């Protein structure tokens, strides 16, 4: 089987060394997952998809009703991965300067005046944008450059953000009064949209026993920021088979109503995913394989990540919504085309 990695100029890499590095990373990630699992109960899929996003170097949108531990998850990820984490509560009156920072005029002891830039909370490694859809479009757009370019422009000056830099945003899917839906351009910046469900009964029982006693479990650090950066670089070196590449292309291109061969897609979708969705799948499948202790991704990884990668990158037509069609139904149809 011809590997995509060979065409990318990595055929000369030492396979044995790559295998050893991947296995070592898998061991570190296993410790990280265990540390997160001591604090977050019954959300294994959410934990996995969040780690996949961070390993891929992307941002994640967590969607779920209040009280399911979204904020706790972000705080725990910051501690376990050794990242500088900060939280911004998005409200309708939040301004871009409240996130990015602003310039202030200062006067020294000699009466000389100058501007000094005061950094906002975006200058961190893990930014939690809590209830991001409550802020105005002007404030939401302040994150666009930061999410895509890892830098911000204030007062004509470019300021680089720390590395690594990730945005983990939360959104309440039920209470929509006084909210501003995220524009498609910003939604596309999120590598995955992760749905946070209710925990099952066993997990909720364990949660009650662990969080209402005299002592509550605290997260412990299992990785560091430089180790995460190295892991992100390693993920990009993992080879991807032609079968997986073909599955990604069939899935993404098949979701575009203009060129799709599926009647359900042409009839129900107003627009489909762009190339960024295929890029997200290429990276995310590699990360998921390493999390699962495997050295290369499979078509099963593509199928497992299809919904969190695609559902925020496509839109139903008005007629489809009126008929009760869901994005998940269309994605299931698409997954049937990749085996």
């Amino acid at each position: 089987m011809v590997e995509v990695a060979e065409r990318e100029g990595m055929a000369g890499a030492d396979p044995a060394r790559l295998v050893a590095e991947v296995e070592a990373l898998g061991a570190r990630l296993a410790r990280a997952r265990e540390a997160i699992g001591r604090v977050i109960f019954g959300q294994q899929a959410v934990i996995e998809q969040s780690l996949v996003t961070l390993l891929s170097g992307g941002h994640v949108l967590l969607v779920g009703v209040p009280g399911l531990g979204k904020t706790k998850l972000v705080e725990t990820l910051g501690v376990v991965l050794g990242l500088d984490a900060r939280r911004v509560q998005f409200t309708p009156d939040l301004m871009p300067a409240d996130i990015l920072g602003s310039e202030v005029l200062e006067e020294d002891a000699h009466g000389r005046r100058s501007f000094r830039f005061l950094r906002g909370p975006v200058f961190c490694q893990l930014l939690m944008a809590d209830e991001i859809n409550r802020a105005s479009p002007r404030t939401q757009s302040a994150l666009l450059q930061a999410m895509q370019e890892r830098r911000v422009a204030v007062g004509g000056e470019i300021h680089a953000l720390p590395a690594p830099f990730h945005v983990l945003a939360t959104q309440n899917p039920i209470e929509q009064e006084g909210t501003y839906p995220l524009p498609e351009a910003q939604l596309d910046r999120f590598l995955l949209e992760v749905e946070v469900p209710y925990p099952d009964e066993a997990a909720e029982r364990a949660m009650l026993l662990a969080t209402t006693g005299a002592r509550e479990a605290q997260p412990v650090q299992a990785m560091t920021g430089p180790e995460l950066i190295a892991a992100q670089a390693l993920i990009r070196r993992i080879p991807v088979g032609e079968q997986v590449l073909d599955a990604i292309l069939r899935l993404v291109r098949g979701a575009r109503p203009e060129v799709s061969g599926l009647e359900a897609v042409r009839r129900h979708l107003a627009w489909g995913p762009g190339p960024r969705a295929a890029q997200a799948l290429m990276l995310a499948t590699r990360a998921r394989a390493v999390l699962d202790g495997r050295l290369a991704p499979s078509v099963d990884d593509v199928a497992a990540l299809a919904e969190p990668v695609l559902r925020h990158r496509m839109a139903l037509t008005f007629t489809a919504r009126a008929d009760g069609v869901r994005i998940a139904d269309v994605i299931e149809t698409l997954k049937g085309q990749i085996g």
Side-chain angles (χ1 to χ4, degrees), residues 20-274:
E21 291 178 358
V22 171
E23 289 177 345
L25 174 59
R28 287 196 298 272
L29 292 174
R31 292 194 296 270
R33 292 184 73 170
E34 181 182 357
I36 297 170
R38 296 195 193 104
V39 182
I40 306 297
F41 299 88
Q43 300 289 2
Q44 293 306 313
V46 176
I47 293 172
E48 176 188 272
Q49 292 174 16
S50 298
L51 287 173
V52 163
T53 303
L54 297 178
L55 288 170
S56 303
H59 314 288
V60 63
L61 180 63
L62 300 168
V63 180
V65 300
L68 296 182
K70 299 186 296 295
T71 303
K72 188 70 172 178
L73 172 62
V74 178
E75 294 174 351
T76 302
L77 284 170
V79 174
V80 172
L81 300 179
L83 303 177
D84 174 23
R86 299 186 187 180
R87 175 175 176 266
V88 177
Q89 181 67 50
F90 278 58
T91 58
D93 60 347
L94 195 71
M95 299 298 291
D98 297 326
I99 301 173
L100 305 181
S102 58
E103 290 186 324
V104 296
L105 183 63
E106 291 186 332
E107 184 175 333
D108 62 18
H110 303 286
R112 292 189 294 265
R113 295 181 178 181
S114 61
F115 284 98
R116 183 167 67 94
F117 177 63
L118 296 180
R119 295 186 171 189
V122 75
F123 287 87
C124 63
Q125 295 175 312
L126 191 64
L127 176 67
M128 179 178 185
D130 208 355
E131 295 189 297
I132 188 172
N133 58 327
R134 291 201 173 277
S136 66
R138 180 183 179 188
T139 302
Q140 290 177 8
S141 65
L143 280 178
L144 276 176
Q145 184 184 22
M147 293 172 65
Q148 183 64 26
E149 302 178 15
R150 268 67 174 183
R151 59 180 184 175
V152 298
V154 179
E157 296 290 333
I158 300 296
H159 303 273
L161 297 174
F165 174 75
H166 301 278
V167 174
L168 278 71
T170 68
Q171 183 171 292
N172 180 355
I174 296 178
E175 186 181 353
Q176 297 298 326
E177 184 178 354
T179 63
Y180 303 86
L182 296 178
E184 289 78 9
Q186 185 162 355
L187 281 173
D188 198 30
R189 261 65 175 189
F190 289 102
L191 190 91
L192 300 185
E193 180 187 297
V194 178
E195 289 188 350
V196 184
Y198 290 105
D200 58 32
E201 183 177 351
E204 196 160 0
R205 180 185 296 271
M207 183 192 309
L208 291 175
L209 294 174
T211 60
T212 61
R215 292 184 178 180
E216 185 174 347
Q218 298 297 321
V220 296
Q221 183 174 341
M223 291 181 66
T224 65
E227 286 178 340
L228 178 58
I229 294 174
Q232 292 169 352
L234 178 60
I235 291 296
R236 290 177 173 267
R237 293 166 49 204
I238 294 176
V240 177
E242 286 284 353
Q243 187 178 11
V244 176
L245 177 60
D246 291 341
I248 291 173
L249 289 172
R250 287 199 304 271
L251 185 70
V252 175
R253 294 183 63 83
R256 297 168 185 165
E258 299 85 358
V259 297
S260 178
L262 296 174
E263 176 62 24
V265 171
R266 295 195 303 269
R267 187 171 67 250
H268 297 316
L269 289 186
W271 49 269

Side-chain angles (χ1 to χ4, degrees), residues 243-245 247-249 251 281 285 288 297-307 309 335 338:
Q243 187 178 11
V244 176
L245 177 60
I248 291 173
L249 289 172
L251 185 70
L281 276 169
T285 53
R288 187 176 188 269
S298 67
V299 175
D300 290 338
D301 294 313
V302 180
L305 292 166
E307 192 167 345
V309 168
K335 287 164 62 175
I338 64 174

Side-chain angles (χ1 to χ4, degrees), residues 280-294:
L281 276 169
M282 280 287 285
L283 291 171
T285 53
R286 290 162 163 162
R288 187 176 188 269
V290 174
L291 274 174
D292 199 34
R294 291 177 282 114

